Amino acid sequence: MGKIKILDTFTSNKIAAGEVIERPSSVVKELIENSIDAKASFIQVEIKDGGTTLIKVTDNGSGMDKDDALIAFNRHATSKIYDSSDLDNISTFGFRGEALSSIAAVSQIILNTSTGDQVGTQIKIMGGELDNIKEVAFAQGTSIEIRNIFYNIPARRKFIKGLSYETGLITELITKYSLGHPHIRFKVINNKNIIYDTAGKNTTKSRLKEVFGEELGSKFIYSEDEVFAGSELKAWLAPKEFSKSTRNQQLFFINGRLIKSKELSKSLEDAYHTFLPKGRFPIALLDFTLPFNELDVNIHPTKLNVKIYNLDFLVSKLTSLIKDTLNKTNLIEFNDYIYQNLNDNYASEDNNFLSMEEENIPVKAIFKEPEINYYQDDFNLKDSLLDPINIKPEKDIAKPEEQFIHFREKDKQASFTENTEVKVKDIPNLKPLAQLNDTFILAQNQEGLFIIDQHTCHERILYERFMKEDAEKTILSESLLIPITLNLTAKQEGILIKNILTLNKLGFIVEHFGTRAFVIRALPLDLKIKNIEQFFLDLIDEIGEYSKNNYNVLREKVLIMASCKGAIKAKQKLNNEEILFLLSELAKVDNPHTCPHGRPIIHHISMKHLYKTFRRGEFNLES
């Protein structure tokens, strides 16, 4: 007997569910797309426990009669296409006929529907099997309840994250669709509480304010253009100051369909190329209307990816439109606060935002000689043979109130003199000499020259301090003089709620302040951030991207980011006390060689190497 056999319908439906239904938000996506296809003007989504125990989608669309309702849950049953030729001209969201059968295979379903001109129909399906059918009184439209998703696939339930996280994913998905379909009212109910309702907000502009908050939502820049005959591109672009550390808030719609496209995303980022630092991503809503025969939407089970036949031309038009819009629009001017934030706080090594060669050097610095800030006050160029070279000794040393490094009281008690020497692990008698280009600390001992990256050095110091204090449960918080208010997206709110206790343990005191609003009242003592709001939003995005259920993993992610953002940056002038403090603190860490991201802290140029370079013979340490 042969080994190959045809799988039964129940098993094949479960396999299909694995492709289409990844988590509760996948179910919501399929159901609201069915509602949009049914020409609904009102869609209500009710969930409980992050959608794991209940997802109920109700609409006022065209509804179904009894015969259609019965056949709808069969695999490859669809009203959207009739033969293969229709695949070249798809105008609806659904067409594969897999969603309802896949959902039914892994959940318990109650469907109520009516076309409005006859009695309604109720169907109950349990694990893919028809359980009951009867006539009911029901208004025109459809209501479908999905209960206990993955109840018969325990392994899949294990991969569902926290309930607040799943709730955030569902709410964020619906807010995205509400932006792409401003003519449809969307309402979300979570555990019997209304958390999102677009009633009275029937324009994209009003919904941008609802989703992103008044401050950002009111600043979107609108532009439109005809791509080619029968097509249109509408773009809502956020000012560059509101950029993000991830691409999560780049939305692309084609004919109302929410899609993902690496090509369109790259085109968007290319248009912003000269406006944003490397590693920052623009916030934008792009809505394309294209002829249906210019698309192939049959390349992905969830229809998130599409193939665009004239993609190169479309990308060119998109880039051109956005560049022209950004160049012509008087965007919010950078103030010193934002400029410093973009050049300093956005330089996250974890995301490789700025390479070591690209760190933020002002334009004027490119056209002048390097400036060395000498630590040794008694150094006299007149006594040296280097008099013709234009090297400027340090002046304008940072005043105490301009210091970049936070000193605790016990640190202030330390006594530093110009003859102070420091031992950093196996490097003895290290004596600071100068600061090179406000970026590197130069130090020496008998063995040669040591070049120390001030950012990675301070980052390692902060990281080990935070980790030690967390292990000893002694992390101190410093209250903010003026608390910072955060207005979050639904997904960000879910991520924060899930992790708020962990953040509190790590010194971030955050309190709930209303619908998707929170207040930051305190930060870890040694964390000095110029743009606290942007830092915290980036932190939430970072947690959302890499969050694990393991406290230690989350703690390390948070502390690494806090250390990086809180450390001094390149192009920051340090005074003598700060240089010596950094070296003294570096001597106390367990690993003085690399920062938490693995970048080197110290580079050694040995006397042997220098002697060889200048052909001075062999170097003898004792001579």
Side-chain angles (χ1 to χ4, degrees), residues 173-229:
L173 175 72
I174 297 169
T175 58
K176 288 179 178 179
Y177 271 92
S178 73
L179 291 171
H181 299 271
H183 60 286
I184 300 176
R185 177 188 172 191
F186 288 86
K187 184 178 181 180
V188 183
I189 301 174
N190 176 43
N191 296 329
K192 299 184 178 181
N193 297 314
I194 299 174
I195 60 174
Y196 185 70
D197 192 350
T198 63
K201 302 177 179 67
N202 301 321
T203 64
T204 303
K205 184 176 181 179
S206 62
R207 293 194 178 183
L208 286 170
K209 293 179 182 179
E210 176 72 13
V211 173
F212 292 101
E214 180 70 28
E215 181 182 5
L216 170 56
S218 61
K219 293 183 174 65
F220 275 85
I221 307 153
Y222 175 74
S223 185
E224 63 180 46
D225 192 13
E226 183 181 65
V227 182
F228 44 77

Side-chain angles (χ1 to χ4, degrees), residues 498-605:
K498 178 184 176 183
N499 298 288
I500 195 167
L501 294 180
T502 298
L503 291 171
N504 283 345
K505 289 180 182 178
L506 297 176
F508 299 90
I509 308 303
V510 185
E511 298 176 0
H512 194 254
F513 194 60
T515 304
R516 299 211 306 270
F518 292 80
V519 172
I520 306 174
R521 298 200 178 276
L523 297 177
L525 178 59
D526 291 308
L527 185 61
K528 299 300 174 184
I529 299 293
K530 294 186 183 301
N531 191 332
I532 297 172
E533 179 181 359
Q534 187 62 63
F535 162 76
F536 207 82
L537 291 175
D538 287 349
L539 180 62
I540 292 173
D541 290 341
E542 182 83 3
I543 294 172
E545 289 291 318
Y546 303 103
S547 177
K548 306 291 183 182
N549 291 327
N550 187 308
Y551 168 78
N552 291 328
V553 173
L554 175 61
R555 175 194 64 172
E556 186 168 13
K557 292 288 183 185
V558 172
L559 295 185
I560 286 177
M561 185 172 179
S563 302
C564 180
K565 299 292 188 180
I568 57 173
K569 303 296 186 293
K571 310 309 299 179
Q572 290 186 349
K573 183 179 292 187
L574 304 179
N575 62 29
N576 301 343
E577 185 181 18
E578 290 173 319
I579 290 173
L580 280 167
F581 174 75
L582 279 179
L583 295 183
S584 299
E585 290 299 301
L586 186 64
K588 301 175 185 177
V589 304
D590 294 327
N591 176 15
H593 304 294
T594 61
C595 76
H597 302 108
R599 285 177 54 178
I601 295 174
I602 303 174
H603 177 67
H604 178 215
I605 301 177

